[in-house]
Every structure is written in structure tokens, then in C-alpha cells.
Amino acid sequence: MNFIRLPFLVKLTLVIISIIGLGYLLALGQSILAPFFLAFLMGMLFLPFATLLEKKLKFPRSISTMTSVLVMLVILAGLIYFFGSQLSDFSKDIPHLRTQFTTVFENLQHWISKTFNVKIDDQLDYINQGLNKLLSSSGVILGFTFGIFSTGFGFILFFILFFIFILNYRRVLNNFIVTVFNEKHKASVQEVVNEVRVMTKKYIIGLCLQVFIVSILTSIVLTVLGVKYAVLLAVLTGLLNVIPYLGICISLVISCFIAFATGTPVTCFYVVIGYIAVHIIDGNIVLPFVVGSKVKINALFSFLGILLGEHLWGIAGMFLCIPAIAIIKIIFERVEGLQPWGRLLGEEQKPDKKKKKYKISKNITLEEMD
């Protein structure tokens, strides 16, 4: 039976069932699929480096793979050392932050008391009730915290193992993907595989450039405004900016929190203006030239992908959703019958402005002016 000749409602039902089943499998295999997909992306990034070691320096496949792993671990260790040293300096100022917040909190209490006629004792009662409810669930909080650390350790372990396997057996995986399809489709499949590999490599490189540029711009803004820990907040902003739309908002809240604790409320206002300026530069200049040209996904499906990725894979899904959608878009554009879905995921195509011709007679033709 030919699937294309099925009635529309039957095809729609099969598509919905397939999407639900795929979503269930993705959620069920989160602990394995999320680090595997991240390892796939990083493997595509390090593939030219590993190939260079094998062709130019005549390294065996295993040696080139382990060298790539060591380079990646050195980069990760450098990031961990940077954040560790910055957080160590931040911990020294915790007593000062506590004093600052106490002063601000007391001023806020007096303002609420004068504005809303709520006594300070009543405010403290409301706060104590909230704290008691929070402390009553301390076991849940500790279990959740332990789960985050244990899950993070397992994620990193699986990621490194998958990274090694993907680089070491990349030729086997490529041959399997190409040969598993019909002989007449091999050329198209190989073209899709090559395009996905090039796209992921350019996307990761563009993403790293975006993180660097946003970090530099944010560092300049926060340093000019005199906000403490400007470098730490700038790097954190650059990393969180990988999450479209939501990342910049989260980093803005954190920066305003630090600026309010170490400075004045007016500084928070300037921080908001500075972040808006950085976001405008990032969205209109950096993103189109560095990342947007590599992965053309419209804003609607980018936002839906973030929500769906967070629901399926948590924070990791928010980071991985955009390259996943980009890969799906490339596949859809190459498969007959799925091209409309690929165009739906992409940006709006601007129509070509061609001059319209109107034939008056055999020898007279008018052209419409733009």
C-alpha cells in the first residue's frame, strides 16, 4: 500500500502518533541521547583537527582521537578554573553582600509599612511562614541538589565516552548511514550527511564567536558602570546567551542582582539599558553574520524548540534544540514530500523583485517601474 495515496486524516493520524512516540522515546532516553547528541556536535567540530593529525602528522586513528579528547578536556578545565577562581573571590564578599541586603531590606520594610500600612511585625510573620514551608521540604531540596550533581557527572562521563566512540568509528557510522538506504538514494544521502557535517561545524564555530563577542561587549558595559565581578558576569552572559531569548533575560536578572547588592538601584537601571544595547547589537549585527547565516531557523520555531527541548531534556535540551532543528530542516529539504516542512522551519524567503512586462502590441512592450 502506498503511503502517499492514503486519505489525509489517516496520514495525519499516523504523523501525530509517530510524533508522540518519538517524543516519548526522546524523554525516556534523556540520560543517553542528550550526551550522545552533544558528543556528535563536538565530534563534528573536532573532526577537521583529528583528520589533520591523521593526514599531515600520520597519527593512528586512536592517537588522533585521544589527542582531540585531551584538547577538549584542557579547554573545559580552563573554563572550570576560571569560574572557580572568580567564585572564590565572590565568596569573600558574601559578608558585605549580606550587610548590603540587610540595609536594603530594612529600607524596603519601612517603605511597605508607610505605603501599604502593613506593620513590620506582620511582614516578618509572613516571611517566617514562607521560610518554615521552605525548610520543611529541605529533604526534597537536598535530594534535588544531589540529583543535579549526580546527573551532571553522569552526563559528562557519557559525553566523553560518546565523543571518543564517534571520532574513532566515524567512518563506520558514515558508511552505515549511506549504505542502509537504497542504491539510487546513496548520492542524496551522502550529500545530506556532508551538509549536516559542514553545518554543525560552522554552527559551533559561529556559536563560540558569538559567546566571545557578547562576553567582550558585556564586560565593557559592566566595567564602565563599575559593577563588581564584571568579567565573571560577562562570561556567564555569553554562555547563557546560547539559549535564544531566555538566556539574556536570566543573565540580566543575575547582573541586576549583583549590581543592586554591590552598588545602587540606579546602577541596576543602567545595567538594564546596557544589556538591551548588547542584545540589540547581538541580534542585528553579530547573530546574522556569525550564527544566523549558518542556521536559518525562524524565531517561532526557535522558541518552540526551546520549550520542547527543556521539557524533554531539561537545560541540556535548551542548548541543543537549535542545532537539532537545523539538522531536521536540512533533512526535510532533501526528502521528497517533506520540503514544505523544511521551508516552514526556515526564514521567510524574500520574493525576487522582477519587472512586470505588459505587451501592448507586437512591437511595443511596457515594463513596470519599481
Side-chain angles (χ1 to χ4, degrees), residues 27 55 74 77 109 115 126 146 155 180 195 203 228 239 294 327 340:
K55 291 185 177 181
V74 168
Q109 280 184 318
T115 306
Y126 294 144
F146 178 76
F155 184 93
V180 75
E195 190 171 349
Y203 173 74
K228 296 191 68 174
L239 293 176
K294 311 296 188 299
I327 293 174

Side-chain angles (χ1 to χ4, degrees), residues 26-91:
L26 289 175
L28 191 65
Q30 171 187 357
S31 58
I32 296 177
L33 295 178
F36 177 81
F37 186 64
L38 180 60
F40 167 76
L41 295 178
M42 296 303 297
M44 294 300 101
L45 178 62
F46 278 86
L47 181 59
F49 177 71
T51 304
L52 177 66
L53 295 178
E54 294 173 13
K55 291 185 177 181
K56 299 296 183 179
L57 302 180
K58 306 301 181 182
F59 279 18
R61 177 66 56 83
S62 58
I63 301 299
S64 66
T65 299
M66 296 309 300
T67 304
S68 302
V69 173
L70 289 176
V71 172
M72 184 186 65
L73 291 179
V74 168
I75 296 174
L76 292 177
L79 289 175
I80 293 173
Y81 173 77
F82 169 77
F83 279 105
S85 60
Q86 292 291 319
L87 291 175
S88 176
D89 295 336
F90 177 76
S91 63

Side-chain angles (χ1 to χ4, degrees), residues 112-124:
I112 293 175
S113 178
K114 293 180 180 179
T115 306
F116 300 101
N117 294 324
V118 179
K119 296 181 180 180
I120 296 179
D121 293 336
D122 295 335
Q123 297 178 30
L124 294 176

Side-chain angles (χ1 to χ4, degrees), residues 320-332:
L320 300 175
C321 63
I322 301 300
I325 295 175
I327 293 174
I328 293 173
K329 177 177 178 290
I330 291 175
I331 296 175
F332 280 177

Side-chain angles (χ1 to χ4, degrees), residues 226-238:
V227 179
K228 296 191 68 174
Y229 316 108
V231 178
L232 174 63
L233 294 174
V235 175
L236 185 62
T237 301

